[in-house]
Amino acid sequence: MNPLYPNVARRAGHRCEYCRAPEAVFNFPFEVEHILPKSRGGTDDEANLCLACRSCNLRKSDRIVAFDERSGEDVPLFQPRDQRWDDHFRVEDESGEIQGLTATGRATVRILELNHPLQLTARLLWIRLQFFP
Ligand SMILES: [Zn+2]
């Protein structure tokens, strides 16, 4: 496990900083994710780290931008250290879908597949159990 996990997880409130999945309902710790990937010069400084669930970490991989269909441009992905989640996303109560409110939000939702059927099934259950949001 990453030695910085305890600090990163505490700072994140033990939630994925991309999809807000609650770590408490998983049977393994979430992952310490490099916002700017090490392959692109990112460091292990805590300002470059966030907590991510397996799904978000795998799908983000070494990406820092993604295509936003509405603006027709590559835009930066959501950056949990510099940006507020609520400024870029909102959760639809009925469907459990996460909607992107900005180009960054939309591109992040799409590339991380935040509304994948498996994500939605789990999120609706977490909502019912009051683990989400
Ligand atoms: Zn996630």
Side-chain angles (χ1 to χ4, degrees):
M1 180 183 294
N2 186 308
L4 294 173
Y5 166 82
N7 290 346
V8 172
R10 188 177 325 110
R11 179 178 63 189
H14 293 271
R15 288 180 172 273
C16 174
E17 295 189 71
Y18 294 104
C19 75
R20 293 219 162 154
E23 191 178 36
V25 299
F26 288 76
N27 62 356
F28 52 89
F30 281 175
E31 301 172 8
V32 174
E33 199 264 327
H34 289 80
I35 298 167
L36 179 64
K38 289 181 101 167
S39 62
R40 296 178 186 266
T43 69
D44 289 325
D45 189 290
E46 287 188 35
N48 187 44
L49 301 176
C50 73
L51 193 68
C53 71
R54 185 75 187 133
S55 174
C56 288
N57 202 7
L58 275 176
R59 289 176 169 132
K60 180 173 176 289
S61 186
D62 66 346
R63 293 182 173 91
I64 55 173
V65 299
F67 187 71
D68 170 47
E69 291 175 5
R70 194 180 305 176
S71 64
E73 297 178 339
D74 281 335
V75 298
L77 292 176
F78 176 65
Q79 298 187 27
R81 293 284 69 77
D82 302 332
Q83 298 173 319
R84 291 183 58 243
W85 199 90
D86 292 337
D87 290 341
H88 293 275
F89 308 98
R90 71 181 282 269
V91 180
E92 273 289 324
D93 291 336
E94 295 275 312
S95 66
E97 286 187 19
I98 294 176
Q99 296 179 337
L101 302 175
T102 61
T104 284
R106 291 188 299 269
T108 302
V109 166
R110 190 180 61 77
I111 207 74
L112 299 187
E113 298 184 50
L114 299 186
N115 295 319
H116 185 282
L118 291 173
Q119 284 266 42
L120 282 180
T121 300
R123 194 173 300 131
L124 286 170
L125 188 58
W126 303 334
I127 289 171
R128 245 184 287 150
L129 295 172
Q130 300 185 334
F131 279 99
F132 193 96

